[in-house]
Amino acid sequence: MANLFTATAPFLSLSKPFTKTASYHQCYASSSNPPEPESSSPPPPPPPQQKRKKNVETTDWVASSLTRRFGIGAGLAWAGFLAFGVISEQIKTRIEVSQEVANTRDVEEEKEIVLPNGIRYYDQRVGGGATPRAGDLVVIDLKGQVQGTGQVFVDTFGTKDKKKMKPLALVVGSKPYSKGLCEGIDYVLRSMKAGGKRRVIVPPSLGFGVDGAELESGLQIPPNASLEYIVEIDRVSIAPA
């Protein structure tokens, strides 16, 4: 028994104890960069990715405005509705123009109409369109001259010897007047219709009064002058209510 224990003692003394540290170094002895021991703190989050900006250049207002607000389905529905409205308005305008032309007629014999304020007028053509009201935009052709002297101070009709000027645009009831217009013409326009043409005699009180006027063209309107006009309404744009 003593010999057996004595013989095995050197073997046991040469044995290396098996520990976790020894196995750790034996497994990764050949690796130059052993893994770092695990840390209790969580790994840092990855950097946030920047969203790519989409630069979309488009002239399609359906995609850019309506669809953003209502979605593609509702946006297209709105686009169809608006397109239908525009087409309907164009058809309505054409119908009104055709009715205006159909209802416009020339006057065979001029008759004098005297108004209480002293204005006299003679219809040369009765219009078939809309009647302008205060605030409406009106486009007119106008010829004005001083009664008695025949001095022409405005003429957009033109003649063979004179190039036609652009028609005048004014808002009914808007002051001050310019380009040969006066209070008497503003008053007369409210009883005409688009397409109509009228010869008008304006008294001094509704013209340029006792002082006369100097126009933008440099022409002088004498004091207490009665004025004779030819006025034709080309177009009436009704102001929104």
Side-chain angles (χ1 to χ4, degrees), residues 8 23 42 44 58 75 84 91 97 118 124 158 161 171-172 181 233:
T8 59
S23 63
T58 178
F84 176 78
I91 295 174
V97 170
Q124 297 179 340
D161 301 330
V171 176
V172 178
L181 292 166
I233 298 182

Side-chain angles (χ1 to χ4, degrees), residues 52-58:
R52 297 177 61 184
K53 295 182 180 180
K54 296 181 179 180
N55 296 324
V56 180
E57 299 293 337
T58 178

Side-chain angles (χ1 to χ4, degrees), residues 33-48:
N33 296 318
E36 297 178 0
E38 295 182 0
S39 175
S40 60
S41 60

Side-chain angles (χ1 to χ4, degrees), residues 4-239:
L4 178 59
F5 286 107
T6 304
T8 59
F11 174 76
L12 294 173
S13 63
L14 295 175
S15 302
K16 294 182 178 180
F18 181 76
T19 63
K20 291 184 179 180
T21 304
S23 63
Y24 177 86
H25 288 289
Q26 288 177 358
C27 293
Y28 298 100
S30 60
S31 174
S32 59
N33 296 318
E36 297 178 0
E38 295 182 0
S39 175
S40 60
S41 60
Q49 296 182 356
Q50 295 183 352
K51 295 182 179 180
R52 297 177 61 184
K53 295 182 180 180
K54 296 181 179 180
N55 296 324
V56 180
E57 299 293 337
T58 178
T59 58
D60 188 355
W61 59 275
V62 177
S64 61
S65 58
L66 293 179
T67 55
R68 289 179 185 175
R69 184 174 180 182
F70 303 106
I72 186 66
L76 292 176
W78 268 104
F81 174 77
L82 294 177
F84 176 78
V86 171
I87 295 173
S88 299
E89 190 65 25
Q90 291 176 349
I91 295 174
K92 178 182 177 182
T93 302
R94 292 179 181 178
I95 293 175
E96 290 177 348
V97 170
S98 63
Q99 290 177 347
E100 176 184 326
V101 173
N103 296 330
T104 298
R105 57 181 178 84
D106 292 330
V107 176
E108 297 180 359
E109 183 180 356
E110 295 184 8
K111 295 181 179 181
E112 181 183 65
I113 305 296
V114 181
L115 301 179
N117 57 12
I119 292 177
R120 294 177 291 147
Y121 71 83
Y122 310 81
D123 279 324
Q124 297 179 340
R125 184 188 306 125
V126 177
T131 299
R133 302 169 301 177
D136 291 347
L137 177 64
V138 181
V139 179
I140 64 173
D141 275 309
L142 186 71
K143 180 180 180 180
Q145 62 184 18
V146 178
Q147 194 177 36
T149 65
Q151 178 189 11
V152 177
F153 52 87
V154 60
D155 186 4
T156 66
F157 287 97
T159 61
K160 294 181 180 179
D161 301 330
K162 187 177 180 181
K163 185 178 179 181
K164 185 180 186 302
M165 296 172 55
K166 292 182 179 180
L168 303 180
L170 70 148
V171 176
V172 178
S174 177
K175 297 180 181 181
Y177 304 108
S178 62
K179 299 186 181 301
L181 292 166
C182 64
E183 185 178 354
I185 292 299
D186 185 275
Y187 185 90
V188 166
L189 288 174
R190 306 184 193 207
S191 60
M192 297 180 66
K193 292 184 178 182
K197 188 175 182 180
R198 181 176 288 181
R199 183 165 69 95
V200 184
I201 309 298
V202 178
S205 59
L206 296 176
F208 297 102
V210 295
D211 297 327
E214 181 177 354
L215 305 181
E216 296 90 338
S217 59
L219 294 175
Q220 297 281 342
I221 304 297
N224 292 316
S226 294
L227 309 174
E228 182 175 347
Y229 288 93
I230 302 293
V231 56
E232 180 178 5
I233 298 182
D234 297 331
R235 189 162 57 255
V236 177
S237 296
I238 305 297

